Amino acid sequence: MRRAGKITAAARALAGEMVTPGVTTQEIDKAVYHFIREQGAQPSFLHYQGYPASVCISVNDEIIHGIPGKRVLQEGDIVSIDVGAYKDGFHGDCAATFPCGKISPEAQRLIDVTRQSFYEGLKFAKEGYRVPDISRAIQTYVEANGFSIVREYVGHGVGRQMHEAPEVPNYVAGHERPRLLRGMTLAVEPMVNAGSRGIRVMPDGWTVRTADGKWSAHYENTILITDGEPELLTVPEPGGE
């Protein structure tokens, strides 16, 4: 898991560095594919349930699962990069939203709150707590800052399979309450909308956008539950904690 996580985090960082005006999302996808393969790993997302690319690249009002293509990134865009790598039988999974050139203060605040909400949840990613403790911390922080949490998609266990039990929602609403135990590996991933929490799935069957057209941000790391502080297996992108 640590080896897979390091490759995944490095792939996210590479993609983030490429988020500049004039670059196409397909160019980012190709670079990440070749990087992961050079590390002796495989892109987790490629062909997963039919997904056609190695990276999910979601721009502005796209929440998740944006398919890379000919779209040219523009100054002021915000770009969510979600990537996974499979190495020696295990998956890493992480995401972050990056600014494309100079962005508005409102867009930067959305990115910052989304990222910090992950770290608010991380405070409860310890043995003896329960999954809803993470969920509550994320939801409370996001909503206190005037944003909304996407509810149709959640975090998850990750390991030999890309998606494993338990689900890790970013909100609290009648879910099961599994206790956190040392050795568990979880992908915690707040998806935060600037407007309402409503979503719409595009005709491609993958891309998910906000219902009201307002922007969205995404942040994710794979974490290990220990008998002390949680361990980040996908070391954050440059500038992170």
Side-chain angles (χ1 to χ4, degrees), residues 94-108:
C94 66
T97 302
F98 297 90
C100 185
K102 182 176 176 59
I103 64 173
S104 69
E106 295 79 12
Q108 187 62 57

Side-chain angles (χ1 to χ4, degrees), residues 107-126:
Q108 187 62 57
R109 182 168 174 271
L110 174 63
I111 291 174
D112 293 343
V113 168
T114 302
R115 186 176 184 281
Q116 184 58 36
S117 73
F118 167 87
Y119 286 98
E120 295 299 315
L122 187 67
K123 296 174 183 177
F124 296 91
K126 300 178 183 179

Side-chain angles (χ1 to χ4, degrees), residues 2 6 11 14 32 48 52 56 68-70 74 83 110 122 136 145 159-160 163 176 180 190 194-195 198 205 208 227:
R2 290 188 178 99
K6 286 184 183 300
L14 169 64
V32 169
Y48 181 75
C56 296
K70 296 180 180 179
Q74 306 291 326
V83 62
L110 174 63
L122 187 67
R136 183 177 298 104
N145 279 278
R160 292 189 182 276
H163 293 100
E176 295 180 359
L180 301 175
V208 180
D227 56 359

Side-chain angles (χ1 to χ4, degrees), residues 125-142:
K126 300 178 183 179
E127 187 173 41
Y129 285 101
R130 295 180 182 273
V131 167
D133 296 318
I134 298 174
S135 308
R136 183 177 298 104
I138 292 171
Q139 180 181 11
T140 299
Y141 184 80
V142 167

Side-chain angles (χ1 to χ4, degrees), residues 35-171:
F35 173 80
I36 291 175
R37 295 293 290 159
E38 288 167 0
Q39 308 306 309
Q42 299 175 12
S44 297
F45 297 177
L46 186 60
H47 307 313
Y48 181 75
Q49 297 183 353
Y51 187 72
S54 299
V55 189
C56 296
I57 305 180
S58 307
V59 184
N60 298 339
D61 67 326
E62 295 173 347
I63 303 168
I64 50 172
H65 301 163
I67 299 173
K70 296 180 180 179
R71 180 171 186 162
V72 178
L73 298 180
Q74 306 291 326
E75 182 89 15
D77 287 343
I78 63 171
V79 183
S80 295
I81 302 288
D82 191 358
V83 62
Y86 182 69
K87 173 73 170 174
D88 298 333
F90 293 92
H91 293 273
D93 190 6
C94 66
T97 302
F98 297 90
C100 185
K102 182 176 176 59
I103 64 173
S104 69
E106 295 79 12
Q108 187 62 57
R109 182 168 174 271
L110 174 63
I111 291 174
D112 293 343
V113 168
T114 302
R115 186 176 184 281
Q116 184 58 36
S117 73
F118 167 87
Y119 286 98
E120 295 299 315
L122 187 67
K123 296 174 183 177
F124 296 91
K126 300 178 183 179
E127 187 173 41
Y129 285 101
R130 295 180 182 273
V131 167
D133 296 318
I134 298 174
S135 308
R136 183 177 298 104
I138 292 171
Q139 180 181 11
T140 299
Y141 184 80
V142 167
E143 293 180 349
N145 279 278
F147 297 131
S148 57
I149 287 284
V150 172
R151 302 195 177 201
E152 289 81 1
Y153 300 90
V154 298
H156 50 91
V158 59
R160 292 189 182 276
Q161 304 296 323
M162 174 84 104
H163 293 100
E164 299 181 348
E167 289 191 343
V168 186
N170 299 302
Y171 66 101

